[in-house]
Amino acid sequence: MEKYKFLILGAGPSGLAFAHTLLKHGERSFLVMEKEDIAGGLCRSKMVDGSPLDIGGGHFLDTRLPHVLEFLFQFLPQDQWNIFDRKSAIDFGDYRVDYPIESNIWQLPVEKQVEYIHAIAYAGENLGHPAPEQFEDWIQWKLGKRIAEDYMFPYNRKIWSIPLEQLGTYWIDKLPSVSFKEVLYSCLTKEPYGKIPAHKTFYYPIKHGYGAVWELMGKELGEKLALSSPVQSLDIKRKTVNNHLSGAIIINTIPWNSIRLDDISSDIHNAVTGLQYSGIQVDYFSADPGNDDHWIYIPDERLSYHRILNRKTFIDKAKGYWTETNLKRSSETNAMVAVNNHAYPLNTREKPSLMKKIAEFTKMNNVYGLGRWGTWEHINSDIAVKQGIELAESLLKNMKK
Ligand SMILES: Cc1cc2nc3c(=O)[nH]c(=O)nc-3n(C[C@H](O)[C@H](O)[C@H](O)COP(=O)(O)OP(=O)(O)OC[C@H]3O[C@@H](n4cnc5c(N)ncnc54)[C@H](O)[C@@H]3O)c2cc1C
């Protein structure tokens, strides 16, 4: 048995941040196991047609956390990033509206504006009804029937590819929040109003893809990072991996349901198999998409993909665009450049109780879930880094006590 104080499963942003925090505090008894031959997880990039392409889908750095920026700039310094004001739109075929639609109804033909505003006025929120706990009902309650039918229902059916009534609403702080008053202000002043939670401005590396910073973080770990080393099995009670590695503490950042978990109760087994996720395929096309938006959302259900990323708008001298398609709607094509089986943890209504059970059992055994898959949370890479730093610091502190 090879023994370590910490075994870290997965070298995505959360595992890398955890490992570097150990090093910063002088702790060297650890190993990071990664199945791919390069670090970075969903944030990896590769060169396609002469320029970088993000193989986990379009990735942009936007954070309100100065210590996370400082942490990342240690590996790829700030002067090696461009900063952009986000420009993204929703394409309805006949017309296009800036994102988010509820702040930009004024860009629509007048008859559509009246239809949408009228429907919002009669939406549950504005009639004083309590907020529903099902995502599908919440959409109509918040945005009214018309925006729901033209955009939110089809788009969300495409990206998640599960019946929307299975999704909860405990995660809606990720969505824009625009009140009816703000909708009216924006229509009358022809300016967007309201709060967009993510990516108002964003950083993207000047010369590389988003993957560059994570690849550099991986390289700096030297032999502490074991690439091309898949985890096949995890015994939580004995704290062993693949039957030949053991950690006094195990940090898991890989999907719980993607490996064999040995010696667990049927209750935990059911919780793990109850976790749902979706995958995406990324396809590349060399043509110019003919607009200057960074990315575009596509609600039209006749088209398989749900988002288009316009490379030239954030990568110098790049051409072409890539699309993101839920794996349930995709097919193998010549344009395919990447398949990510685990892309989005799904926010089903049962997820919070399933994850509570899993976390209680694993923590009791000194196995900690971390990052997007360890916590099954729809988090961005800055939060994955924050969580990695915080968990490492708190475990090191407890060990000293
Ligand atoms: C389409 C899309 C767009 C996104 N856009 C953004 C964005 O613009 N900005 C942003 O900040 N975030 C974005 N994110 C979120 C971002 O990808 C995640 O927050 C981040 O990757 C989480 O890091 P992580 O380390 O927790 O998980 P991951 O990146 O998933 O890392 C997990 C690691 O575990 C490894 N692994 C898996 N199974 C095994 C195994 N059996 N053995 C060994 N290793 C294994 C994987 O290869 C991977 O390296 C986006 C995500 C998606 C899907």
PDB file of all heavy atoms in Angstrom, residues 13-22 71 251 253 370-371 379 381-395:
ATOM      1  N   PRO A  13      -9.754  22.424 -11.525  1.00  0.00           N
ATOM      2  CA  PRO A  13      -9.484  23.599 -10.706  1.00  0.00           C
ATOM      3  C   PRO A  13      -9.539  23.330  -9.198  1.00  0.00           C
ATOM      4  O   PRO A  13      -8.689  23.818  -8.449  1.00  0.00           O
ATOM      5  CB  PRO A  13     -10.586  24.576 -11.135  1.00  0.00           C
ATOM      6  CG  PRO A  13     -10.826  24.213 -12.561  1.00  0.00           C
ATOM      7  CD  PRO A  13     -10.688  22.724 -12.643  1.00  0.00           C
ATOM      8  N   SER A  14     -10.510  22.537  -8.718  1.00  0.00           N
ATOM      9  CA  SER A  14     -10.636  22.371  -7.264  1.00  0.00           C
ATOM     10  C   SER A  14      -9.495  21.531  -6.704  1.00  0.00           C
ATOM     11  O   SER A  14      -8.892  21.893  -5.691  1.00  0.00           O
ATOM     12  CB  SER A  14     -12.002  21.778  -6.893  1.00  0.00           C
ATOM     13  OG  SER A  14     -12.208  20.553  -7.538  1.00  0.00           O
ATOM     14  N   GLY A  15      -9.169  20.413  -7.378  1.00  0.00           N
ATOM     15  CA  GLY A  15      -8.072  19.558  -6.907  1.00  0.00           C
ATOM     16  C   GLY A  15      -6.738  20.290  -6.977  1.00  0.00           C
ATOM     17  O   GLY A  15      -5.897  20.180  -6.065  1.00  0.00           O
ATOM     18  N   LEU A  16      -6.542  21.075  -8.051  1.00  0.00           N
ATOM     19  CA  LEU A  16      -5.276  21.821  -8.204  1.00  0.00           C
ATOM     20  C   LEU A  16      -5.140  22.886  -7.115  1.00  0.00           C
ATOM     21  O   LEU A  16      -4.053  23.063  -6.533  1.00  0.00           O
ATOM     22  CB  LEU A  16      -5.231  22.479  -9.585  1.00  0.00           C
ATOM     23  CG  LEU A  16      -5.091  21.522 -10.776  1.00  0.00           C
ATOM     24  CD1 LEU A  16      -5.383  22.263 -12.087  1.00  0.00           C
ATOM     25  CD2 LEU A  16      -3.694  20.892 -10.824  1.00  0.00           C
ATOM     26  N   ALA A  17      -6.227  23.599  -6.849  1.00  0.00           N
ATOM     27  CA  ALA A  17      -6.162  24.651  -5.823  1.00  0.00           C
ATOM     28  C   ALA A  17      -5.889  24.028  -4.451  1.00  0.00           C
ATOM     29  O   ALA A  17      -5.116  24.571  -3.655  1.00  0.00           O
ATOM     30  CB  ALA A  17      -7.475  25.441  -5.794  1.00  0.00           C
ATOM     31  N   PHE A  18      -6.518  22.870  -4.187  1.00  0.00           N
ATOM     32  CA  PHE A  18      -6.290  22.182  -2.911  1.00  0.00           C
ATOM     33  C   PHE A  18      -4.809  21.805  -2.787  1.00  0.00           C
ATOM     34  O   PHE A  18      -4.160  22.086  -1.776  1.00  0.00           O
ATOM     35  CB  PHE A  18      -7.187  20.929  -2.824  1.00  0.00           C
ATOM     36  CG  PHE A  18      -7.123  20.256  -1.490  1.00  0.00           C
ATOM     37  CD1 PHE A  18      -8.072  20.538  -0.515  1.00  0.00           C
ATOM     38  CD2 PHE A  18      -6.110  19.344  -1.181  1.00  0.00           C
ATOM     39  CE1 PHE A  18      -8.018  19.923   0.745  1.00  0.00           C
ATOM     40  CE2 PHE A  18      -6.044  18.739   0.060  1.00  0.00           C
ATOM     41  CZ  PHE A  18      -6.996  19.022   1.025  1.00  0.00           C
ATOM     42  N   ALA A  19      -4.258  21.194  -3.854  1.00  0.00           N
ATOM     43  CA  ALA A  19      -2.873  20.717  -3.805  1.00  0.00           C
ATOM     44  C   ALA A  19      -1.882  21.882  -3.628  1.00  0.00           C
ATOM     45  O   ALA A  19      -0.946  21.799  -2.823  1.00  0.00           O
ATOM     46  CB  ALA A  19      -2.559  19.943  -5.089  1.00  0.00           C
ATOM     47  N   HIS A  20      -2.109  22.971  -4.357  1.00  0.00           N
ATOM     48  CA  HIS A  20      -1.177  24.104  -4.237  1.00  0.00           C
ATOM     49  C   HIS A  20      -1.262  24.764  -2.860  1.00  0.00           C
ATOM     50  O   HIS A  20      -0.271  25.325  -2.375  1.00  0.00           O
ATOM     51  CB  HIS A  20      -1.418  25.122  -5.355  1.00  0.00           C
ATOM     52  CG  HIS A  20      -0.662  24.756  -6.597  1.00  0.00           C
ATOM     53  ND1 HIS A  20       0.691  24.971  -6.734  1.00  0.00           N
ATOM     54  CD2 HIS A  20      -1.057  24.129  -7.719  1.00  0.00           C
ATOM     55  CE1 HIS A  20       1.104  24.512  -7.906  1.00  0.00           C
ATOM     56  NE2 HIS A  20       0.055  23.995  -8.530  1.00  0.00           N
ATOM     57  N   THR A  21      -2.433  24.701  -2.246  1.00  0.00           N
ATOM     58  CA  THR A  21      -2.556  25.279  -0.895  1.00  0.00           C
ATOM     59  C   THR A  21      -1.774  24.415   0.101  1.00  0.00           C
ATOM     60  O   THR A  21      -1.135  24.944   1.018  1.00  0.00           O
ATOM     61  CB  THR A  21      -4.048  25.423  -0.513  1.00  0.00           C
ATOM     62  OG1 THR A  21      -4.681  26.144  -1.560  1.00  0.00           O
ATOM     63  CG2 THR A  21      -4.228  26.143   0.804  1.00  0.00           C
ATOM     64  N   LEU A  22      -1.810  23.081  -0.099  1.00  0.00           N
ATOM     65  CA  LEU A  22      -0.980  22.223   0.773  1.00  0.00           C
ATOM     66  C   LEU A  22       0.486  22.620   0.629  1.00  0.00           C
ATOM     67  O   LEU A  22       1.195  22.812   1.628  1.00  0.00           O
ATOM     68  CB  LEU A  22      -1.142  20.744   0.386  1.00  0.00           C
ATOM     69  CG  LEU A  22      -2.498  20.071   0.615  1.00  0.00           C
ATOM     70  CD1 LEU A  22      -2.406  18.593   0.249  1.00  0.00           C
ATOM     71  CD2 LEU A  22      -2.969  20.224   2.061  1.00  0.00           C
ATOM     72  N   PHE A  71      -4.493  34.314  -6.707  1.00  0.00           N
ATOM     73  CA  PHE A  71      -4.032  32.924  -6.752  1.00  0.00           C
ATOM     74  C   PHE A  71      -3.765  32.510  -8.208  1.00  0.00           C
ATOM     75  O   PHE A  71      -2.702  31.964  -8.529  1.00  0.00           O
ATOM     76  CB  PHE A  71      -5.106  32.030  -6.112  1.00  0.00           C
ATOM     77  CG  PHE A  71      -4.780  30.567  -6.109  1.00  0.00           C
ATOM     78  CD1 PHE A  71      -3.994  30.017  -5.114  1.00  0.00           C
ATOM     79  CD2 PHE A  71      -5.255  29.728  -7.111  1.00  0.00           C
ATOM     80  CE1 PHE A  71      -3.684  28.667  -5.114  1.00  0.00           C
ATOM     81  CE2 PHE A  71      -4.961  28.377  -7.116  1.00  0.00           C
ATOM     82  CZ  PHE A  71      -4.171  27.843  -6.112  1.00  0.00           C
ATOM     83  N   ILE A 251      -9.562  13.502  -0.750  1.00  0.00           N
ATOM     84  CA  ILE A 251     -10.338  14.621  -1.290  1.00  0.00           C
ATOM     85  C   ILE A 251     -10.863  14.179  -2.648  1.00  0.00           C
ATOM     86  O   ILE A 251     -10.083  13.887  -3.565  1.00  0.00           O
ATOM     87  CB  ILE A 251      -9.427  15.871  -1.490  1.00  0.00           C
ATOM     88  CG1 ILE A 251      -8.709  16.245  -0.181  1.00  0.00           C
ATOM     89  CG2 ILE A 251     -10.217  17.044  -2.058  1.00  0.00           C
ATOM     90  CD1 ILE A 251      -9.627  16.579   0.974  1.00  0.00           C
ATOM     91  N   THR A 253     -12.802  14.991  -6.062  1.00  0.00           N
ATOM     92  CA  THR A 253     -13.383  16.014  -6.959  1.00  0.00           C
ATOM     93  C   THR A 253     -13.983  15.361  -8.197  1.00  0.00           C
ATOM     94  O   THR A 253     -14.403  16.053  -9.110  1.00  0.00           O
ATOM     95  CB  THR A 253     -12.323  17.056  -7.391  1.00  0.00           C
ATOM     96  OG1 THR A 253     -11.480  16.479  -8.405  1.00  0.00           O
ATOM     97  CG2 THR A 253     -11.470  17.539  -6.241  1.00  0.00           C
ATOM     98  N   LEU A 370     -15.269  17.660  -2.948  1.00  0.00           N
ATOM     99  CA  LEU A 370     -14.844  19.033  -3.228  1.00  0.00           C
ATOM    100  C   LEU A 370     -15.160  19.366  -4.684  1.00  0.00           C
ATOM    101  O   LEU A 370     -15.064  18.507  -5.560  1.00  0.00           O
ATOM    102  CB  LEU A 370     -13.327  19.154  -2.971  1.00  0.00           C
ATOM    103  CG  LEU A 370     -12.646  20.463  -3.367  1.00  0.00           C
ATOM    104  CD1 LEU A 370     -13.118  21.623  -2.476  1.00  0.00           C
ATOM    105  CD2 LEU A 370     -11.125  20.340  -3.284  1.00  0.00           C
ATOM    106  N   GLY A 371     -15.493  20.646  -4.944  1.00  0.00           N
ATOM    107  CA  GLY A 371     -15.647  21.133  -6.308  1.00  0.00           C
ATOM    108  C   GLY A 371     -16.981  20.752  -6.932  1.00  0.00           C
ATOM    109  O   GLY A 371     -17.929  20.354  -6.251  1.00  0.00           O
ATOM    110  N   ILE A 379     -21.117  24.978  -9.859  1.00  0.00           N
ATOM    111  CA  ILE A 379     -20.248  26.127  -9.539  1.00  0.00           C
ATOM    112  C   ILE A 379     -19.307  26.444 -10.701  1.00  0.00           C
ATOM    113  O   ILE A 379     -18.993  25.581 -11.509  1.00  0.00           O
ATOM    114  CB  ILE A 379     -19.377  25.856  -8.290  1.00  0.00           C
ATOM    115  CG1 ILE A 379     -18.591  24.545  -8.446  1.00  0.00           C
ATOM    116  CG2 ILE A 379     -20.201  25.879  -7.041  1.00  0.00           C
ATOM    117  CD1 ILE A 379     -17.524  24.342  -7.411  1.00  0.00           C
ATOM    118  N   SER A 381     -15.424  27.985 -12.064  1.00  0.00           N
ATOM    119  CA  SER A 381     -14.067  27.608 -11.669  1.00  0.00           C
ATOM    120  C   SER A 381     -13.518  28.478 -10.539  1.00  0.00           C
ATOM    121  O   SER A 381     -12.705  28.026  -9.739  1.00  0.00           O
ATOM    122  CB  SER A 381     -13.131  27.643 -12.878  1.00  0.00           C
ATOM    123  OG  SER A 381     -13.118  28.921 -13.451  1.00  0.00           O
ATOM    124  N   ASP A 382     -13.956  29.749 -10.464  1.00  0.00           N
ATOM    125  CA  ASP A 382     -13.445  30.596  -9.367  1.00  0.00           C
ATOM    126  C   ASP A 382     -13.909  30.060  -8.011  1.00  0.00           C
ATOM    127  O   ASP A 382     -13.158  30.064  -7.034  1.00  0.00           O
ATOM    128  CB  ASP A 382     -13.861  32.068  -9.558  1.00  0.00           C
ATOM    129  CG  ASP A 382     -15.371  32.265  -9.540  1.00  0.00           C
ATOM    130  OD1 ASP A 382     -16.093  31.418 -10.107  1.00  0.00           O
ATOM    131  OD2 ASP A 382     -15.839  33.265  -8.956  1.00  0.00           O
ATOM    132  N   ILE A 383     -15.136  29.548  -7.973  1.00  0.00           N
ATOM    133  CA  ILE A 383     -15.654  29.010  -6.705  1.00  0.00           C
ATOM    134  C   ILE A 383     -14.970  27.667  -6.398  1.00  0.00           C
ATOM    135  O   ILE A 383     -14.688  27.350  -5.233  1.00  0.00           O
ATOM    136  CB  ILE A 383     -17.197  28.857  -6.752  1.00  0.00           C
ATOM    137  CG1 ILE A 383     -17.844  30.208  -7.081  1.00  0.00           C
ATOM    138  CG2 ILE A 383     -17.747  28.312  -5.429  1.00  0.00           C
ATOM    139  CD1 ILE A 383     -17.561  31.333  -6.090  1.00  0.00           C
ATOM    140  N   ALA A 384     -14.673  26.899  -7.457  1.00  0.00           N
ATOM    141  CA  ALA A 384     -13.948  25.632  -7.252  1.00  0.00           C
ATOM    142  C   ALA A 384     -12.588  25.924  -6.601  1.00  0.00           C
ATOM    143  O   ALA A 384     -12.157  25.237  -5.668  1.00  0.00           O
ATOM    144  CB  ALA A 384     -13.767  24.907  -8.586  1.00  0.00           C
ATOM    145  N   VAL A 385     -11.927  26.994  -7.072  1.00  0.00           N
ATOM    146  CA  VAL A 385     -10.626  27.376  -6.501  1.00  0.00           C
ATOM    147  C   VAL A 385     -10.801  27.834  -5.050  1.00  0.00           C
ATOM    148  O   VAL A 385     -10.074  27.399  -4.152  1.00  0.00           O
ATOM    149  CB  VAL A 385      -9.975  28.500  -7.356  1.00  0.00           C
ATOM    150  CG1 VAL A 385      -8.808  29.145  -6.629  1.00  0.00           C
ATOM    151  CG2 VAL A 385      -9.526  27.939  -8.698  1.00  0.00           C
ATOM    152  N   LYS A 386     -11.790  28.676  -4.834  1.00  0.00           N
ATOM    153  CA  LYS A 386     -12.045  29.180  -3.467  1.00  0.00           C
ATOM    154  C   LYS A 386     -12.263  28.008  -2.516  1.00  0.00           C
ATOM    155  O   LYS A 386     -11.667  27.939  -1.429  1.00  0.00           O
ATOM    156  CB  LYS A 386     -13.285  30.081  -3.494  1.00  0.00           C
ATOM    157  CG  LYS A 386     -13.815  30.482  -2.144  1.00  0.00           C
ATOM    158  CD  LYS A 386     -15.110  31.278  -2.325  1.00  0.00           C
ATOM    159  CE  LYS A 386     -15.701  31.715  -1.019  1.00  0.00           C
ATOM    160  NZ  LYS A 386     -16.541  30.739  -0.371  1.00  0.00           N
ATOM    161  N   GLN A 387     -13.106  27.055  -2.955  1.00  0.00           N
ATOM    162  CA  GLN A 387     -13.403  25.909  -2.074  1.00  0.00           C
ATOM    163  C   GLN A 387     -12.157  25.060  -1.822  1.00  0.00           C
ATOM    164  O   GLN A 387     -11.957  24.553  -0.722  1.00  0.00           O
ATOM    165  CB  GLN A 387     -14.493  25.028  -2.695  1.00  0.00           C
ATOM    166  CG  GLN A 387     -15.857  25.688  -2.711  1.00  0.00           C
ATOM    167  CD  GLN A 387     -16.935  24.799  -3.340  1.00  0.00           C
ATOM    168  OE1 GLN A 387     -16.648  23.725  -3.873  1.00  0.00           O
ATOM    169  NE2 GLN A 387     -18.172  25.254  -3.300  1.00  0.00           N
ATOM    170  N   GLY A 388     -11.315  24.899  -2.867  1.00  0.00           N
ATOM    171  CA  GLY A 388     -10.085  24.112  -2.722  1.00  0.00           C
ATOM    172  C   GLY A 388      -9.157  24.739  -1.696  1.00  0.00           C
ATOM    173  O   GLY A 388      -8.618  24.065  -0.810  1.00  0.00           O
ATOM    174  N   ILE A 389      -8.987  26.064  -1.791  1.00  0.00           N
ATOM    175  CA  ILE A 389      -8.106  26.779  -0.855  1.00  0.00           C
ATOM    176  C   ILE A 389      -8.666  26.648   0.573  1.00  0.00           C
ATOM    177  O   ILE A 389      -7.947  26.299   1.518  1.00  0.00           O
ATOM    178  CB  ILE A 389      -7.981  28.280  -1.236  1.00  0.00           C
ATOM    179  CG1 ILE A 389      -7.312  28.443  -2.605  1.00  0.00           C
ATOM    180  CG2 ILE A 389      -7.234  29.059  -0.164  1.00  0.00           C
ATOM    181  CD1 ILE A 389      -7.317  29.865  -3.159  1.00  0.00           C
ATOM    182  N   GLU A 390      -9.967  26.908   0.705  1.00  0.00           N
ATOM    183  CA  GLU A 390     -10.567  26.915   2.055  1.00  0.00           C
ATOM    184  C   GLU A 390     -10.525  25.536   2.718  1.00  0.00           C
ATOM    185  O   GLU A 390     -10.211  25.420   3.904  1.00  0.00           O
ATOM    186  CB  GLU A 390     -12.025  27.386   1.983  1.00  0.00           C
ATOM    187  CG  GLU A 390     -12.103  28.889   1.852  1.00  0.00           C
ATOM    188  CD  GLU A 390     -13.513  29.396   1.609  1.00  0.00           C
ATOM    189  OE1 GLU A 390     -14.464  28.590   1.561  1.00  0.00           O
ATOM    190  OE2 GLU A 390     -13.643  30.631   1.455  1.00  0.00           O
ATOM    191  N   LEU A 391     -10.827  24.483   1.933  1.00  0.00           N
ATOM    192  CA  LEU A 391     -10.848  23.146   2.550  1.00  0.00           C
ATOM    193  C   LEU A 391      -9.433  22.747   2.981  1.00  0.00           C
ATOM    194  O   LEU A 391      -9.242  22.218   4.087  1.00  0.00           O
ATOM    195  CB  LEU A 391     -11.437  22.114   1.570  1.00  0.00           C
ATOM    196  CG  LEU A 391     -11.560  20.702   2.121  1.00  0.00           C
ATOM    197  CD1 LEU A 391     -12.492  20.655   3.337  1.00  0.00           C
ATOM    198  CD2 LEU A 391     -12.073  19.717   1.060  1.00  0.00           C
ATOM    199  N   ALA A 392      -8.435  23.030   2.122  1.00  0.00           N
ATOM    200  CA  ALA A 392      -7.062  22.667   2.493  1.00  0.00           C
ATOM    201  C   ALA A 392      -6.655  23.401   3.768  1.00  0.00           C
ATOM    202  O   ALA A 392      -6.087  22.802   4.694  1.00  0.00           O
ATOM    203  CB  ALA A 392      -6.104  23.002   1.342  1.00  0.00           C
ATOM    204  N   GLU A 393      -6.969  24.708   3.821  1.00  0.00           N
ATOM    205  CA  GLU A 393      -6.551  25.479   5.007  1.00  0.00           C
ATOM    206  C   GLU A 393      -7.245  24.977   6.262  1.00  0.00           C
ATOM    207  O   GLU A 393      -6.617  24.851   7.316  1.00  0.00           O
ATOM    208  CB  GLU A 393      -6.792  26.975   4.790  1.00  0.00           C
ATOM    209  CG  GLU A 393      -5.727  27.518   3.841  1.00  0.00           C
ATOM    210  CD  GLU A 393      -5.846  28.990   3.502  1.00  0.00           C
ATOM    211  OE1 GLU A 393      -6.914  29.569   3.739  1.00  0.00           O
ATOM    212  OE2 GLU A 393      -4.835  29.531   2.981  1.00  0.00           O
ATOM    213  N   SER A 394      -8.521  24.635   6.164  1.00  0.00           N
ATOM    214  CA  SER A 394      -9.205  24.213   7.395  1.00  0.00           C
ATOM    215  C   SER A 394      -8.739  22.819   7.821  1.00  0.00           C
ATOM    216  O   SER A 394      -8.593  22.553   9.014  1.00  0.00           O
ATOM    217  CB  SER A 394     -10.723  24.323   7.259  1.00  0.00           C
ATOM    218  OG  SER A 394     -11.256  23.164   6.737  1.00  0.00           O
ATOM    219  N   LEU A 395      -8.459  21.905   6.881  1.00  0.00           N
ATOM    220  CA  LEU A 395      -7.987  20.574   7.296  1.00  0.00           C
ATOM    221  C   LEU A 395      -6.586  20.656   7.904  1.00  0.00           C
ATOM    222  O   LEU A 395      -6.287  19.981   8.891  1.00  0.00           O
ATOM    223  CB  LEU A 395      -8.001  19.613   6.100  1.00  0.00           C
ATOM    224  CG  LEU A 395      -9.400  19.246   5.569  1.00  0.00           C
ATOM    225  CD1 LEU A 395      -9.309  18.396   4.304  1.00  0.00           C
ATOM    226  CD2 LEU A 395     -10.211  18.506   6.630  1.00  0.00           C
TER     227      LEU A 395
END
